[in-house]
Amino acid sequence: MSASTGAESAGEFDYIVVGAGSAGCVLGNRLSADPGKRVLLLEAGGRDNWIWFHIPVGYLFAIGNPRSDWMFKTEPESGLNGRALNYPRGKTIGGSSAINAMIYMRGQAADYDHWRQLGLPGWGWEDVLPFFKKHEDSFLGASEFHNVGGEWRVEFPRVRWEILERVREAAAEAGIPPVDDFNCGDNEGSCYFHVNQRRGLRWSAARGFLKPVLHRQNLRLETGVMVERVLIENRRAVGVVYRQDGAEKVARARGEVILSAGAIGSPHILMLSGVGPAAHLAEHGIPVALDKPGIGENLHDHLQLRLIYRVDGVPTLNERYHSLFGRAWMGIEYALFRTGPLTMAPSQLGFFTRSDPKRERANIEFHVQPLSLDKFGDPLHTFPAFTMSVCNLQPTSRGTLRLKSRAPGAAPAIRPNYLATDEDKRVAADSIRVARGVITKPAMAPYHPEEILPGSKVRNDDEAALVKAAGDVGTTIFHPVGTAKMGRDTDPLAVVDARLRLIGIDGLRVVDASVMPAITSGNTNSPTIMIAEKGAAMIREDAR
C-alpha cells in the first residue's frame, strides 16, 4: 500500500518502531545504542507526566481512565454467560507497564521449552534466561538465575498483612509449600510477588529503558501518533503512514519497520495495512497486500476467577480505606517512608499449584489480596474481607481479533472465547475447589471465613454450577497474547518466524506479546520485555 499524496514527510530512519510500550521502550533503547542507526519510536499515547503513573496504587485511577487506558471492551462472551469485559491496555509511554500489577514473573521453563519443541530454535528456557538476566536489577543479587545493574528493577513488596500470612500458612497445610522465588524455572509453591518498583515507586519500561536514553541524538520519540498503516512495496515494508495533530505524515525506513503495539495493536495495524485474512480484509474494502490467515487468530488470555471471603478478627484494607484516620495515615506513611498500602501492587501473595494431581506441572495461579470489591473500579467493601483470584495458566481456548472498521481509530472486535473447551471448564471448576480447600484449613479457622463470591450455594459436587459460577465471576487478568504468533513456515497460522520476521513481507517484524505461540505460565509483562531484548539482539545481528 503506497503513501497518500500530499502527506508530510517525517524523514528517513534505519528503524521505525511502532508502539512505545513495554517492548517498544526496550527496542528504542537497544537499537539506538548504535550511534550509526537512526531510530523513530512512535507512540499513540502521551508522556507519563501524571502522578498516578508513578505511585503504585495509581492503577486504581489509571485503569478505566481514557487518559491512560485504551478503554477496549470484548464482545459478549458465551463462556462468560453473555457478559462483555473491559479490556484495559496502557495508553502512554511504557504502555501497560505504566498501569499493570508490577509483578515480576518469568513463567515456567517448560513454557519456553514448549516453544522450542514447536520448531522455534533459540526460544528454550536455557536460550531465553540470559535475556531475562541481561536487563535485570534484582534485590536478590547476582546468581545463576538473577542479575544486578540492569534497567529492570525488581524489589520485595513494602507492605505486609496478617491475613496474607495466614492464607500462606493455610496453603502450606493444603500441600502448597512456601518458596523464596517464583523465577527460577519452576514457580510451584507460595511466595510474595516480587515487583517492578524502585523505593516505593512504580518502575515502568519507560522509566527503566526509554527515559534514560532520550538524550541520544539518533533516537526520536513522537507521541500522540496514530499509525494508520505500514507502507508495503513489492512485498517489503518501506515505512509507515501516521496521523499526528491532524496532519498525515510518512516516515520511511531504510532498514526495518518493527511493530510493538501489543497483542491488540500490532495485528490491528497489520490488517489495516492489508496483511491478514484476505476475505476479512475484503469485507472492509482493504486491498490485500498479503493473505495471512493467522493474523488476529490464537488470541488467548488468563481468565481469573475472583473468590471473596469475609473474615473476622483480622485487619484488611477494606476497613482501613473507609476510616478517615486510616486513609490519612496511608498518605503519611507513603510520604515519609515510601511504605504501606500506597505501594501495593494489586496482588501481594501468590501461589502456583495444580488443579488436579494428574497435572505434570503447576497450571493455576492464585493472586491473594487483603481487600474486596464487587468489580474493578467500584469502592472497597465496608466489611473486612480478602480476595483469592485464581487463573488457568495454560488455557486451551482460543479467540480472535478482527476489524470492526477500516478507520484506524476504531477499536477492533476482541473475542477471547473464554471457557470454550471442556478442559478449560474442568480446570475452572477444579480451581474453585482448590481455593475452597485452602480456606478450610486450620490456619484460617480463627477468622471464620465466609464465602461471599461465588457463595456457598454453589456446591463443590455440582460441576455445572461451578462452571456457570466461573462464567459469572470470571474476568481478564490483562494478559492477551498470541495474535501474531511465531511458528514454522509450514504452519498456516504462523505470522512470524523464530527471528520475529513477518513471513512473506521483508523488512517487517513483530516484537511484542502477540508473537507468543502459547501463553507463559504467569504474568506476561516481563516475558514481553524479554522478547524485546532478544528481538533487538536479532535485529542488530541481522543488520551486520
Side-chain angles (χ1 to χ4, degrees):
M1 302 179 73
S2 60
S4 302
T5 57
E8 178 184 336
S9 173
E12 189 174 58
F13 301 84
D14 295 284
Y15 302 114
I16 299 174
V17 180
V18 178
S22 295
C25 287
V26 177
L27 290 165
N29 180 305
R30 298 300 189 241
L31 296 179
S32 66
D34 180 347
K37 301 292 186 182
R38 293 191 70 212
V39 180
L40 175 64
L41 180 57
L42 301 175
E43 168 55 38
R47 298 286 184 129
D48 61 346
N49 53 355
W50 185 37
I51 190 171
W52 295 119
F53 284 136
H54 307 294
I55 295 177
V57 80
Y59 68 89
L60 290 170
F61 308 101
I63 292 176
N65 186 325
R67 173 177 182 167
S68 46
D69 180 358
W70 280 102
M71 306 286 287
F72 293 132
K73 287 184 76 76
T74 71
E75 300 301 298
E77 289 276 297
S78 60
L80 303 185
N81 304 324
R83 292 185 300 126
L85 300 180
N86 293 330
Y87 219 61
R89 296 283 87 199
K91 188 181 180 183
T92 183
I93 58 170
S96 293
S97 76
I99 68 171
N100 71 356
M102 297 164 281
I103 292 172
Y104 182 72
M105 184 67 59
R106 295 172 176 173
Q108 298 170 3
D111 298 328
Y112 303 100
D113 290 343
H114 173 57
W115 293 4
R116 184 186 60 211
Q117 290 156 8
L118 291 174
L120 299 169
W123 289 97
W125 172 249
E126 295 299 326
D127 302 306
V128 303
L129 180 58
F131 291 99
F132 277 115
K133 292 176 64 177
K134 180 177 179 180
H135 52 248
E136 187 181 23
D137 183 23
S138 175
F139 76 100
L140 292 169
S143 68
E144 176 187 358
F145 294 105
H146 293 289
N147 197 17
V148 295
E151 296 90 346
W152 199 223
R153 180 63 184 165
V154 182
E155 295 189 350
F156 196 81
R158 300 165 74 89
V159 62
R160 300 295 284 268
W161 294 88
E162 180 185 347
I163 186 64
L164 299 184
E165 292 285 348
R166 302 293 82 78
V167 172
R168 196 179 189 198
E169 288 179 15
E173 292 171 344
I176 305 169
V179 297
D180 294 327
D181 184 4
F182 281 143
N183 291 297
C184 299
D186 179 2
N187 52 21
E188 192 159 7
S190 75
C191 185
Y192 286 97
F193 288 119
H194 301 163
V195 291
N196 293 118
Q197 294 182 8
R198 184 182 290 279
R199 293 188 291 274
L201 290 170
R202 174 188 290 273
W203 198 249
S204 71
R207 295 193 70 189
F209 294 95
L210 182 58
K211 287 183 172 182
V213 300
L214 281 177
H215 65 277
R216 292 176 180 167
Q217 295 299 304
N218 63 325
L219 174 62
R220 177 172 151 192
L221 168 67
E222 294 287 346
T223 58
V225 167
M226 177 64 70
V227 172
E228 297 186 340
R229 64 189 184 278
V230 178
L231 290 176
I232 299 170
E233 298 174 0
N234 301 316
R235 291 286 179 95
R236 181 175 184 85
V238 297
V240 298
V241 176
Y242 63 92
R243 191 165 294 277
Q244 184 182 40
D245 298 327
E248 187 178 70
K249 302 181 181 183
V250 177
R252 307 285 295 193
R254 287 188 292 264
E256 298 191 40
V257 175
I258 304 147
L259 298 183
S260 59
I264 306 302
S266 288
H268 190 198
I269 293 169
L270 285 169
M271 288 188 282
L272 293 174
S273 307
V275 181
H280 177 61
L281 301 182
E283 291 172 5
H284 293 279
I286 298 173
V288 178
L290 179 67
D291 181 11
K292 207 70 183 163
I295 292 173
E297 294 288 327
N298 193 47
L299 173 63
H300 54 300
D301 184 12
H302 291 142
L303 179 72
Q304 66 169 340
L305 312 180
R306 295 173 57 248
L307 285 79
I308 295 174
Y309 290 91
R310 184 170 185 157
V311 289
D312 295 323
V314 63
T316 72
L317 185 59
N318 286 5
E319 60 272 26
R320 188 169 177 185
Y321 173 82
H322 287 287
S323 159
L324 186 61
F325 174 78
R327 293 174 75 169
W329 176 244
M330 284 191 279
I332 293 169
E333 187 178 7
Y334 185 77
L336 294 180
F337 308 112
R338 289 288 187 265
T339 59
L342 294 189
T343 70
M344 282 172 54
S347 302
Q348 294 75 52
L349 175 67
F351 45 92
F352 292 76
T353 188
R354 307 172 197 220
S355 59
D356 71 71
K358 297 177 183 176
R359 294 275 168 177
E360 292 184 1
R361 55 188 171 117
N363 71 309
I364 55 175
E365 175 185 9
F366 284 85
H367 291 75
V368 191
Q369 308 154 310
L371 56 88
S372 66
L373 65 171
D374 287 333
K375 65 178 186 298
F376 197 88
D378 284 0
L380 301 185
H381 292 144
T382 56
F383 51 83
F386 69 95
T387 301
M388 287 181 65
S389 294
V390 58
C391 65
N392 179 357
L393 294 171
Q394 296 136 24
T396 55
S397 299
R398 296 292 184 268
T400 60
L401 183 104
R402 291 288 183 263
L403 298 176
K404 285 186 175 180
S405 164
R406 64 180 298 172
I414 302 169
R415 296 184 176 89
N417 206 24
Y418 296 117
L419 298 176
T421 66
D422 289 342
E423 179 177 336
D424 286 357
K425 292 173 183 175
R426 183 168 58 253
V427 171
D430 286 342
S431 297
I432 295 173
R433 295 184 181 108
V434 171
R436 289 171 167 176
V438 171
I439 297 306
T440 57
K441 294 304 176 187
M444 295 302 299
Y447 310 113
H448 310 105
E450 175 192 355
E451 188 174 293
I452 303 299
L453 191 74
S456 58
K457 291 183 180 179
V458 181
R459 302 193 319 272
N460 273 358
D461 61 355
D462 189 338
E463 185 86 2
L466 289 169
V467 172
K468 182 182 183 303
D472 287 338
V473 306
T475 187
T476 177
I477 203 166
F478 319 133
H479 298 163
V481 306
T483 47
K485 74 169 187 173
M486 278 192 284
R488 304 175 68 174
D489 56 11
T490 54
D491 179 352
L493 294 182
V495 175
V496 298
D497 65 15
R499 297 189 73 78
L500 308 183
R501 299 172 297 202
L502 199 132
I503 300 168
I505 300 284
D506 292 333
L508 181 59
R509 297 195 207 220
V510 183
V511 184
D512 57 30
S514 67
V515 305
M516 293 187 188
I519 198 166
T520 53
S521 297
N523 308 69
T524 53
N525 192 58
S526 287
T528 299
I529 286 175
M530 177 279 293
I531 288 169
E533 184 79 81
K534 184 172 170 60
M538 292 190 291
I539 291 166
R540 295 189 65 177
E541 287 169 7
D542 292 347
R544 291 173 185 163

